[in-house]
Amino acid sequence: MIEQYMTRGRLAGRCVCGAVEIAIDGEYMAAVGACHCGMCQRWSGGVFTCFSAKPEAVTVTGPVKRHQSSGFADRAFCSVCGSHLWMRDTTGEGADYDLMPGLFPAAKEFPLISEIYTDRAPAYVALKGDHKRATRAEYEAKNLFVEGDQ
Amino acid sequence: MSKVTGQCLCGAVTVTAEPARPSLSVCHCDMCRRWSSSAFMAIEARPGSVTVEGPAKTITTSDWAERAFCPECGSPLWYRITAEGPMHSQMQVAAGLFDNAAGGTLKLEVYVDRQPAGYHFAEATKRLTEAELLAAMGITPEGGA
């Protein structure tokens, strides 16, 4: 189901202040997922969304700061303006980038296809649609997770 | 309302604020989406009620507002209106800093004419376009947002 959104092409993105630019030239997913875990809520200010791109397709220029937010992932942002850039698995080489759609004007058209940690979603974040949803338990049964994250 | 205390992802910054009302707003403007991955969700703080501990970094992002974030982990902290006018110095504090957004409910969406096609909040909210919001702020943009 997810595979149908994988595509190839070019996308250009930048942060609020313009110090960081991200170019995609290659394979990426033209669809958005949302996460409602406690860490993503704090980091995003409310609702965290991302789309994935293959590492060989991604070129980044500018002052990127990475915050290792768990034993298996870091979160990157522009050190000048704080714009969020991506989240990425750090346990091995060559992990996909989970990029922030807000950086890329073209991503305005991407559909929302999944939500995870739905049982952790605050009451104020209810997203419409019949997309795939997974609770914390359903997600953690198949993926790395942070012990005790609320 | 009583004061609430929240913190950024890494815990370096703590923000205490008194919500102006028990509701949240969402901004869909291009800058808020660039800054926060998607929609920026915030609580309006009662004027003068916000106190901050830690290394908050502030950046001027337009002729009428500034934004602050944690320079350690990048969590957004607030959006503050710097322009003179009816909303001068109003602070919109990032909802995610507070447990369950201090219990607020989503009541307002702004820049709805800039909203992405891919997702929609389920709540019935008051919805303002860019022009409607800027008129309420007393701002006449030159060249748009």
Side-chain angles (χ1 to χ4, degrees):
Chain A
M1 153 184 187
I2 282 176
E3 287 67 27
Q4 69 181 291
Y5 296 102
M6 291 303 295
T7 186
R8 298 187 69 87
R10 294 185 179 185
L11 292 181
R14 66 167 175 83
C15 65
V16 164
C17 73
V20 175
E21 295 186 346
I22 302 179
I24 298 175
D25 186 357
E27 197 172 5
Y28 65 91
M29 184 175 294
V32 168
C35 179
H36 302 294
C37 82
M39 293 176 72
C40 281
Q41 286 180 42
R42 283 199 201 284
W43 197 53
S44 67
V47 59
F48 171 92
T49 62
C50 64
F51 71 100
S52 65
K54 294 295 178 189
E56 57 273 18
V58 178
T59 303
V60 181
T61 55
V64 174
K65 176 154 181 162
R66 292 175 177 81
H67 170 65
Q68 187 82 36
S69 54
S70 72
F72 56 87
D74 65 9
R75 297 169 190 253
F77 59 98
C78 168
S79 65
V80 177
C81 72
S83 291
H84 290 186
L85 303 172
W86 67 79
M87 185 171 173
R88 197 174 184 205
D89 189 318
T90 54
T91 58
E93 295 295 316
D96 288 356
Y97 285 80
D98 284 333
L99 293 160
M100 305 296 108
L103 304 171
F104 301 86
K108 280 182 81 168
E109 306 303 321
F110 291 3
L112 175 69
I113 61 166
S114 76
E115 282 183 85
I116 59 173
Y117 285 81
T118 52
D119 52 333
R120 299 284 153 165
Y124 60 88
V125 184
L127 296 168
K128 286 183 183 173
D130 57 359
H131 49 273
K132 188 177 176 185
R133 290 176 165 86
T135 63
R136 175 186 185 182
E138 289 164 348
Y139 178 77
E140 292 185 354
K142 298 177 183 174
N143 296 277
L144 292 170
F145 61 93
V146 176
E147 199 71 49
D149 176 48
Q150 296 302 307
Chain B
M1 294 186 65
S2 56
K3 287 197 170 187
V4 291
T5 298
Q7 65 173 51
C8 65
L9 177 62
C10 72
V13 177
T14 300
V15 178
T16 299
E18 181 184 340
R21 58 190 71 84
S23 64
L24 306 177
S25 64
V26 165
C27 182
H28 298 288
C29 83
D30 294 355
M31 287 172 59
C32 280
R33 285 186 291 101
R34 280 209 163 89
W35 199 48
S36 69
S37 94
S38 57
F40 178 62
M41 308 193 73
I43 301 169
E44 183 185 333
R46 194 176 66 76
S49 72
V50 177
T51 55
V52 182
E53 290 179 41
K57 180 172 179 177
T58 303
I59 178 170
T60 299
T61 50
S62 71
D63 290 341
W64 59 81
E66 65 183 19
R67 295 164 192 261
F69 62 99
C70 170
E72 301 297 325
C73 70
S75 295
L77 301 172
W78 66 79
Y79 172 95
R80 188 174 77 87
I81 296 171
T82 53
E84 297 301 325
M87 295 185 187
H88 178 67
S89 231
Q90 186 193 96
M91 288 179 76
Q92 297 283 346
V93 184
L97 302 175
F98 306 95
D99 290 344
N100 199 32
T105 53
L106 181 58
K107 295 289 189 188
L108 173 67
E109 292 181 76
V110 299
Y111 278 80
V112 294
D113 48 334
R114 302 296 182 100
Q115 184 172 359
Y119 53 81
H120 295 276
F121 290 92
E123 274 94 346
T125 60
K126 182 177 180 181
R127 296 170 60 81
L128 298 180
T129 64
E130 175 183 8
E132 290 166 342
L133 177 67
L134 293 183
M137 292 168 68
I139 290 170
T140 305
E142 294 179 12

